[in-house]
Amino acid sequence: MGLQWGLGKKRKWGETAGAATASRTMDKEYVGFAALPNQLHRKSVKKGFDFTLMVAGGPVLSTGESGLGKSTLINSLFLTNLYEDRHLPEASARLTQTLTIERRGVEIEEGGIKVKLTLVDTPGFGDSVDCSDCWLPVVRFIEEQFEQYLRDESGLNRKNIQDSRVHCCLYFISPFGRGLRPLDVAFLRAVHEKVNIIPVIAKADALMPKETQALKQRIRDQLKEEEINIYQFPDCDSDEDEDFKRQDAEMKESIPFAVVGSCEVVRDGGTRPVRGRRYSWGTVEVENPHHCDFLNLRRMLVQTHLQDLKEVTHDILYEGYRASCLQSLARPGARDRASRSKLSRQSATEIPLPMLPLAETEKLIREKDEELRRMQEMLEKMQAQMQQSQTQGEQSDAL
Ligand code: GDP
């Protein structure tokens, strides 16, 4: 009896051809679960996808003369000009420039699928002569997005929450250094528990294949030494086909991706138009896997891991932030106790305390109190109105 749902001779709305066939062949045994993924697919396509990507990384040289090719790579990745309105300061002005955070949005549609891409750029990062703590605005920005989400999520209307959390940070590393510089390490350490980091070696056409491999290894070693967590690719499912498994393994081995960007389409030998950089000795093709890892990066970012990056952001990074917020809400005065316990004897059973700014939590509590107060007022007004109409009704009855 319980296996009767979805049965019927006619193909119903929402039932796929495959499901209909299954229905015919399995007759009464067919429930219709096979069509569940189609429901999700339809819903997701209708809703569209959104993704927030941050780009960061210092200048190629420590004197701030030239960028690492962040905007060029982004334009090449998404085949769109996200930097139309960009104003580039003079080299001398960049020496004293402070870091700013810029947000740009673009809606990309391909084959009926809409993606709302938000790009968070960090111009000025590492440009200034004095770079001490220059990553702090980035950390604050990432936390503010978490805070906003937490506030929206704990509000009364949770229906149309705008998710502005940063899902991924492409971190650009100079090809001319000998690995990560102290500024890179400081930045990565400051954000690695708040955002999915994907390191890339910028302008990889400046390196020979052997140099690229050596630099990649050096960066991997440094990340390990410094205990910096970058985005961990999930393991490939065992039932995936061999081709997919091979591509997945290749992608994991390419990290940090050595990339080349170009907004120019050149003709390769006068025949095939390709995106590339033309030199006197030949052309570096952006989308040629023998020349750089651009394709691997794009495949990973768009085709295979976009959803996982969002899930890790929500389930792990945001959850961590939320848990520490709740912990500090549940334990008022925890910070005082922590500072006191440092002076006195340290308790072995002390739970690690959140390093969250107390002001943020207090702000959140104040807002909740205010919301409750407003609701209370509304209730009292409604009660007064009801009482009034009741008294009026009784008076008219008596008359
Ligand atoms: P941003 O300031 O980091 O956004 O850097 P831009 O994208 O503006 O690039 C700075 C300069 O580097 C420009 O002259 C680009 O043409 C050049 N450029 C960008 N990508 C590459 C690359 O992959 N290889 C080389 N050799 N130059 C690049």
Side-chain angles (χ1 to χ4, degrees), residues 67-72 86 203 205 260-261 277 279:
L68 274 176
K70 297 188 288 293
S71 39
T72 311
R86 180 157 90 142
K203 300 188 172 180
D205 51 331
V260 174
R277 304 191 75 85
Y279 294 102

Side-chain angles (χ1 to χ4, degrees), residues 373-389:
R373 195 188 55 74
R374 274 201 308 270
M375 284 176 70
Q376 190 88 36
E377 266 179 22
M378 242 166 65
L379 262 171
E380 280 168 9
K381 259 189 207 162
M382 279 165 70
Q383 271 174 346
Q385 271 174 359
M386 275 166 68
Q387 258 176 3
Q388 204 181 1
S389 51

Side-chain angles (χ1 to χ4, degrees), residues 270-332:
T271 51
R272 200 165 49 96
V274 288
R275 223 161 238 270
R277 304 191 75 85
R278 206 200 301 266
Y279 294 102
S280 53
W281 42 264
T283 301
V284 180
E285 294 174 18
V286 169
E287 297 188 18
N288 185 334
H290 298 292
H291 293 190
C292 73
D293 301 324
F294 177 88
L295 271 189
N296 266 341
L297 173 67
R298 182 154 76 187
R299 190 181 302 126
M300 177 255 142
L301 207 54
V302 183
Q303 292 174 12
T304 55
H305 289 75
L306 184 138
Q307 193 53 33
D308 190 62
L309 285 161
K310 290 184 73 172
E311 278 169 21
V312 173
T313 305
H314 184 76
D315 300 343
I316 300 174
L317 306 168
Y318 169 68
E319 251 339 279
Y321 172 85
R322 191 173 153 272
S324 38
C325 262
L326 293 179
Q327 215 176 6
S328 56
L329 275 174
R331 305 174 70 211

Side-chain angles (χ1 to χ4, degrees), residues 50-56 69-78 80-86 100-108 115-123 141 164-170 172 301:
D50 53 54
F51 190 69
T52 302
L53 177 68
M54 175 181 266
V55 286
K70 297 188 288 293
S71 39
T72 311
L73 189 85
I74 292 299
N75 287 341
S76 318
L77 273 174
F78 299 103
T80 179
N81 190 1
L82 264 143
Y83 287 84
E84 261 171 340
D85 54 343
R86 180 157 90 142
T100 51
I101 309 241
E102 288 175 5
R103 218 191 305 219
R104 295 156 207 266
V106 67
E107 217 171 88
I108 307 168
V115 176
K116 212 173 109 202
L117 172 74
T118 306
L119 184 80
V120 179
D121 200 356
T122 53
F141 178 85
S164 60
R165 294 169 299 178
V166 182
H167 301 122
C168 173
C169 170
L170 279 187
F172 287 68
L301 207 54

